[in-house]
């Protein structure tokens, strides 16, 4: 099915071959999870070029592909030989991934007229998840939630952000994660105003906000979750800011569905935060799609005109960030349906005092 969709896109682009190098795209089309391989897809052939280290693995993981052993030297020369031998006249390449030196090598060997730059040729297919992919993302999200719940007892005054991150990441691996999808964000106190405040040596203090943004990877697919807690006791202002963000997120979850643009989806939450007087302190988009990569398109953003479609899996993560004071973000990962969403996130989000 994936190769069929790929060939449809190739036909639309009027190319008779496509070189796929980006690791997530390579895995999506072939199933191969190793670190060194290139794909060449034509209208009637699917080839995976790799070296001695990965022949056995590729043979097992990519049964729909003919495995071609690279004889050594540059990893691009086998592609040149295959393309020349098949007499392909127009070959697409991932213009947003192939580096300049690689393009020059192919151009000099094949001729510029053969190479057709195509951005997002596979990513466009990856946007709509099938049920098996949604189930893998759900599992990644479940592992993330369980790990966070097991880490919460550690969060107390005198414990460093790094120690919290280590505990959380260790629990993810114990619960079956391949790895984390990104550097874990643990931002406490005034640092919680940093949207991407990765864990530091700062010690948690009484009265701190603690924002935790984390995500496990399970069988290649990413989870993404953010919760903000208060240590000790919450002030009235902390509760007010938290309630605004929670109200904004709930409005977005209620409004999100297939057929709206990313701009409209973003506005569900942004309008509430702006009307509360904090629009300038919500400086990022409401969300992004997730899958094999932690950040995929389309986005929920004031600048996004793409239409959100059923089968997309997307984050909903409004926030308010006040420099010198702190911040709040609440994030769920959801699967979009024709009439709304299925929330893949179940962990509580009412303000929790630790």
């Amino acid at each position: 099915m994936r190769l069929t969709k790929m060939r449809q896109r190739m036909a639309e682009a009027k190319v008779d071959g496509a070189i796929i190098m980006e690791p997530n795209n390579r895995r999506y089309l072939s199933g191969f999870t190793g670190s060194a391989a290139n794909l060449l897809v034509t209208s009637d052939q699917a080839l995976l070029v790799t070296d001695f280290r990965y022949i056995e693995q590729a043979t097992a993981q990519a049964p729909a592909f003919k495995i071609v052993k690279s004889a050594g030297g540059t990893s691009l020369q086998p592609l040149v030989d295959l393309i020349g031998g098949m007499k392909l006249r127009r070959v697409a390449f991932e213009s947003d991934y192939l580096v300049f030196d690689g393009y020059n090598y192919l151009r000099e060997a094949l001729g510029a007229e053969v190479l057709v730059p195509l951005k997002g040729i596979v990513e466009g297919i990856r946007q709509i998840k099938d049920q098996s992919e949604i189930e893998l993302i759900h599992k990644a999200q479940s592992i993330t939630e369980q790990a966070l719940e097991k880490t919460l007892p550690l969060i107390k005054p005198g414990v460093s952000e790094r120690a919290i991150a280590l505990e959380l990441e260790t629990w993810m691996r114990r619960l079956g994660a391949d790895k984390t999808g990104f550097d874990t964000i643990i931002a406490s106190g005034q640092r919680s105003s940093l949207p991407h405040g990765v864990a530091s040596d700062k010690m948690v203090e009484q009265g701190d906000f603690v924002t935790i943004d984390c995500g496990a990877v399970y069988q290649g697919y990413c989870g993404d979750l953010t919760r903000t807690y208060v240590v000790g006791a919450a002030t009235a202002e902390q509760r007010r800011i938290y309630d605004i963000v929670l109200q904004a997120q709930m409005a977005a979850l209620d409004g999100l569905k297939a057929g709206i643009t990313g701009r409209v989806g973003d506005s569900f939450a942004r309008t509430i935060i702006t009307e509360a007087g904090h629009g300038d302190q919500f400086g990022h988009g409401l969300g992004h799609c997730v899958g094999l990569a932690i950040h995929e398109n389309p986005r929920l953003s004031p600048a996004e005109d793409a239409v959100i479609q059923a089968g997309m899996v997307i984050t909903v993560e409004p926030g308010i960030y006040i420099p010198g004071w702190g911040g709040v973000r609440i994030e769920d990962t959801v699967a979009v349906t024709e009439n709304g969403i299925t929330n893949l996130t179940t962990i509580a989000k009412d303000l929790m005092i630790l």
Side-chain angles (χ1 to χ4, degrees):
M1 179 65 74
R2 294 178 181 181
L3 278 174
T4 299
K5 291 180 179 179
M6 178 66 185
R7 287 171 172 138
Q8 289 171 348
R9 291 180 70 88
M10 291 167 55
E12 292 167 1
K14 296 181 172 57
V15 297
D16 48 10
I19 299 168
I20 304 301
M21 298 178 172
E22 197 280 327
N24 287 323
N25 290 340
R26 183 177 66 211
R27 177 175 185 158
Y28 180 81
L29 289 178
S30 71
F32 177 67
T33 63
S35 62
N38 294 317
L39 307 182
L40 178 62
V41 180
T42 71
S43 62
D44 59 358
Q45 293 193 64
L47 307 167
L48 187 154
V49 181
T50 191
D51 62 53
F52 168 83
R53 298 169 297 167
Y54 295 106
I55 295 297
E56 185 176 359
Q57 179 182 347
T59 301
Q61 291 183 329
F65 281 71
K66 177 182 178 182
I67 310 304
V68 178
K69 182 179 177 181
S70 170
T74 173
S75 62
L76 296 179
Q77 187 57 46
L79 291 173
V80 170
D81 295 341
L82 289 167
I83 291 167
M86 294 185 217
K87 296 182 169 50
L88 302 178
R89 296 183 177 183
R90 284 173 55 82
V91 178
F93 68 93
E94 298 160 300
S95 59
D96 50 348
Y97 184 78
L98 181 64
V99 299
F100 185 71
D101 283 352
Y103 171 76
N104 270 344
Y105 185 94
L106 293 175
R107 178 180 57 84
E108 292 174 3
L110 298 170
E113 69 280 0
V114 172
L115 299 173
V116 180
L118 284 181
K119 182 178 180 179
I121 187 170
V122 181
E123 288 87 345
I125 305 170
R126 284 170 45 198
Q127 287 182 0
I128 308 298
K129 274 61 179 180
D130 61 31
Q131 188 58 39
S132 67
E133 291 179 286
I134 292 173
E135 289 171 1
L136 291 172
I137 296 170
H138 195 181
K139 177 65 174 178
Q141 192 75 349
S142 177
I143 289 171
T144 305
E145 292 182 304
Q146 292 176 62
L148 178 55
E149 288 177 325
K150 289 181 177 295
T151 301
L152 291 180
L154 178 68
I155 303 174
K156 61 188 68 175
V159 176
S160 73
E161 295 172 351
R162 289 189 195 277
I164 297 167
L166 177 60
E167 182 80 358
L168 178 56
E169 292 168 7
T170 300
W171 271 115
M172 288 185 198
R173 295 301 293 266
R174 285 173 176 165
L175 291 165
D178 305 343
K179 58 182 180 178
T180 60
F182 51 92
D183 291 337
T184 300
I185 294 169
I186 311 283
S188 63
Q190 293 185 8
R191 292 190 74 251
S192 60
S193 68
L194 301 173
H196 281 182
V198 295
S200 74
D201 290 325
K202 179 189 175 301
M203 300 294 182
V204 172
E205 301 176 39
Q206 189 80 0
D208 275 358
F209 267 140
V210 180
T211 296
I212 301 176
D213 188 344
C214 51
V217 176
Y218 180 75
Q219 293 187 22
Y221 283 83
C222 300
D224 200 357
L225 169 70
T226 304
R227 290 292 183 264
T228 300
Y229 303 100
V230 174
V231 176
T235 66
E237 183 65 1
Q238 285 176 320
R239 290 184 181 278
R240 186 184 74 85
I241 295 297
Y242 191 95
D243 287 345
I244 294 168
V245 175
L246 181 58
Q247 181 184 359
Q249 200 219 26
M250 296 305 293
L253 293 173
D254 288 342
L256 188 59
K257 63 181 180 180
I260 65 172
T261 64
R263 184 194 305 270
V264 170
D266 177 273
S267 71
F268 294 135
R270 192 167 304 278
T271 297
I272 289 173
I273 291 175
T274 300
E275 289 178 349
H278 294 282
D280 290 341
Q281 293 155 340
F282 177 26
H284 58 73
L286 177 63
H288 55 86
C289 285
V290 298
L292 287 169
I294 189 60
H295 294 115
E296 297 186 356
N297 291 320
R299 312 293 175 108
L300 299 176
S301 161
E304 183 62 87
D305 292 323
V307 174
I308 305 303
Q309 300 178 58
M312 291 181 174
V313 178
I314 199 162
T315 67
V316 180
E317 49 181 306
I320 294 175
Y321 312 93
I322 304 172
W325 182 79
V328 173
R329 181 167 66 254
I330 305 170
E331 176 187 22
D332 291 357
T333 295
V334 306
V336 179
T337 66
E338 293 292 348
N339 300 314
I341 61 161
T342 298
N343 199 329
L344 306 181
T345 312
T346 61
I347 192 170
K349 60 181 131 185
D350 291 332
L351 180 58
M352 181 181 291
I353 310 301
L354 301 177

